[in-house]
Amino acid sequence: MQEFTLISRYFAPLAQGFAGADGLRDDAALLTPPQGMALVATTDSMQEGVHFIGNEAPALLAQKLLRVNLSDLAAKGATPWCYLLNLSLPPACDEAWIADFSHGLAQDQARYGIVLAGGDTTNTKAGISLSLTAFGLVKAGHRLVRRCGAQVGDLLYVTGTIGDGYLGLKAAQGELAGVSEQDWLYLLGCYQLPEPKPELAIALVGLARASMDISDGLVQDVGQLCTASGVGAEVRAEDVPLSDAARRWQQVHPEKRMELLTGGDDYELLLAIAPENVKDVEALAASWCQPLTCIGVVVAERKLEIRDADGMPLQITQGGWQHHFGY
Ligand code: ADP
Ligand code: MG
């Protein structure tokens, strides 16, 4: 299929209603944020063989690509606005593949209130390469909630549950043993389709001193937040919230519990909350019926300690997910 046919048939409909995209007929899009608003930009890529296997449903890949970016916007308290999409596709990605991919995008555009503004499409002889740049809106002049704002005495909170994405990845790789079929499907779903909750995130982040999304493993990401803020943290492993499925897995593999805290793909929020805001933050989460759990505290000493139920420090075997470069 011709590139132009592909764009007009499958991508132009996704840009409908966004005047600055001009129906994807021009060289570039014009981004004019609404009056009084500033742009927050983030970008994330997914490569076949690194971030996904390649046999996933295209719609699921599209939704995950969009959602990992929405998770970053949410962590900065930004409202989703528009996005740019870069695709490098091998010949095996035929029209049916693109139709399904764009269908996934359409579904999540409606769900999250975001619209396509432009992109680029190329052929490749290598694996599928997907990249998305998302723009969100915050009030102009408003101080962005960064990773670096945590202060000694702040309480560390996480949204949702931790470790499901990691177990779901193991399921996708055929390496998840000792769980029921129902749990297996639930965990795989968590990996394939994380669920950022922008509206709740925006409200929570507004009450936080520091925030970030948890994507590379809780332990590593707490470490990142602490490093950025020039502080340390004590985390209580027992208090890290687990889903019922992850809890059942942990009962079968008690020696592997640390893996849930170091594995990636959670796409939940990590927040540092000043003690005076704890009540409001907890009331907010309760009014949304969303889990929000205090897992530890920010300390002055620049260390990261994960403690068991008896207060004994646990050995951190693996920091979390990092790409390794050949230089
Ligand atoms: P250029 O030659 O300037 O790179 P293209 O022919 O690649 O322009 O793109 C034409 C239009 O189609 C542009 O508006 C571009 O943003 C849009 N476009 C191309 N690929 C995509 C894509 N994957 N998703 C969204 N828009 C796309
Ligand atoms: Mg182009």
Side-chain angles (χ1 to χ4, degrees):
M1 196 190 3
Q2 289 266 319
E3 186 190 341
F4 299 117
T5 320
L6 181 151
I7 292 166
S8 61
R9 192 174 295 169
Y10 296 105
F11 295 125
L14 299 174
Q16 232 170 37
F18 192 76
D22 193 31
L24 303 184
R25 289 168 306 197
D26 207 338
D27 301 307
L30 176 66
L31 304 187
T32 313
Q35 183 111 43
M37 304 301 275
L39 288 183
V40 176
T42 185
T43 191
D44 256 314
S45 304
M46 290 177 21
Q47 315 298 331
E48 181 176 347
V50 181
H51 302 92
F52 57 97
I53 296 161
N55 60 2
E56 294 84 350
L60 279 180
L61 291 180
Q63 289 173 302
K64 181 153 186 183
L65 179 68
L66 188 52
R67 290 179 185 205
V68 297
N69 280 281
L70 290 171
S71 177
D72 283 318
L73 287 185
K76 299 299 103 185
T79 303
W81 188 45
C82 67
Y83 67 98
L84 301 171
L85 176 66
N86 280 46
L87 305 176
S88 276
L89 302 176
C93 296
D94 55 8
E95 182 166 357
W97 193 98
I98 288 161
D100 195 52
F101 188 86
S102 63
H103 181 66
L105 289 175
Q107 278 194 325
D108 269 7
Q109 284 193 195
R111 182 187 176 116
Y112 289 104
I114 192 165
V115 62
L116 184 62
D120 195 29
T121 310
T122 57
N123 294 316
T124 176
K125 290 182 182 143
I128 302 169
S129 174
L130 311 170
S131 177
L132 193 147
T133 301
F135 298 93
L137 300 171
V138 292
K139 283 211 180 85
H142 207 259
R143 185 185 58 86
L144 201 65
V145 181
R146 297 282 188 188
R147 291 182 179 181
C148 63
Q151 294 181 21
V152 176
D154 285 356
L155 297 157
L156 291 174
Y157 278 80
V158 295
T159 57
T161 55
I162 298 298
D164 299 322
Y166 167 72
L167 294 178
L169 169 62
K170 285 177 95 70
Q173 292 170 332
E175 289 171 11
L176 185 65
V179 301
S180 68
E181 191 184 340
Q182 201 185 350
D183 285 352
W184 192 92
L185 286 171
Y186 168 80
L187 294 165
L188 179 68
C190 292
Y191 169 67
Q192 290 183 329
L193 214 49
E195 273 191 53
K197 299 176 186 69
E199 289 173 357
L200 171 66
I202 289 163
L204 288 175
V205 169
L207 289 166
R209 268 213 270 249
S211 83
M212 68 184 288
D213 88 321
I214 310 169
S215 57
D216 295 334
L218 176 67
V219 168
Q220 177 162 311
D221 288 339
V222 170
Q224 296 277 6
L225 187 127
C226 287
T227 304
S229 300
V231 295
E234 287 170 11
V235 171
R236 299 176 301 273
E238 290 297 309
D239 291 346
V240 174
L242 302 183
S243 66
D244 290 343
R247 199 174 294 284
R248 283 190 281 269
W249 175 87
Q250 191 186 255
Q251 273 159 10
V252 181
H253 305 282
E255 76 289 355
K256 294 186 179 173
R257 60 185 253 181
M258 204 60 186
E259 290 180 22
L260 299 177
L261 278 59
T262 55
D265 281 292
D266 290 307
Y267 300 106
E268 294 292 345
L269 287 182
L270 171 66
L271 304 160
I273 306 290
E276 61 266 28
N277 281 340
V278 158
K279 251 195 177 154
D280 288 350
V281 164
E282 290 192 353
L284 191 69
S287 72
W288 279 69
C289 300
Q290 291 296 327
L292 178 76
T293 312
C294 182
I295 59 162
V297 64
V298 175
V299 298
E301 200 185 329
R302 293 191 183 198
K303 58 165 189 185
L304 173 53
E305 229 163 59
I306 316 289
R307 299 191 173 185
D308 69 10
D310 303 321
M312 296 300 287
L314 290 167
Q315 186 81 18
I316 303 172
T317 43
Q318 228 193 344
W321 174 250
Q322 270 193 45
H323 291 271
H324 292 275
F325 298 93
Y327 49 81

